[in-house]
Amino acid sequence: MVLGSVFKGITESIAEQSPDLIVMGSKGASGLEEVIVGSNTEKVVRTATCPVVTIKAETDVKKMKKNRICL
């Protein structure tokens, strides 16, 4: 478990593990919260050294019809 800044913890993990892809959920900060705090997901998308996929809503992977990546 890592305590402290979420963004800092994620960026340190990216640097240590060098992932090929990051998948993150996003509930979407808005209004004053977005201005003051910002979105950790948005910060990771801007600074990551690999592709980042964001998922906006809760998703049940078992209900997906195709469990593969199409390029």
Side-chain angles (χ1 to χ4, degrees):
M1 176 166 40
V2 177
L3 299 176
S5 165
V6 173
F7 174 69
K8 183 179 177 188
I10 292 171
T11 54
E12 287 174 358
S13 292
I14 292 169
E16 292 169 6
Q17 299 176 22
S18 300
D20 295 323
L21 175 70
I22 300 168
V23 179
M24 294 184 72
S26 175
K27 70 174 187 154
S30 62
L32 187 58
E33 178 187 12
E34 182 180 20
V35 173
I36 294 172
V37 178
S39 162
N40 287 305
T41 302
E42 182 267 333
K43 291 175 190 174
V44 171
V45 168
R46 280 192 296 112
T47 61
T49 55
C50 65
V52 179
V53 174
T54 60
I55 299 175
K56 192 73 171 156
E58 187 172 326
T59 303
D60 184 355
V61 178
K62 295 175 186 173
K63 292 183 180 179
M64 289 183 178
K65 293 183 181 183
K66 295 181 181 178
N67 291 320
R68 63 180 177 203
I69 297 174
C70 299
L71 301 174

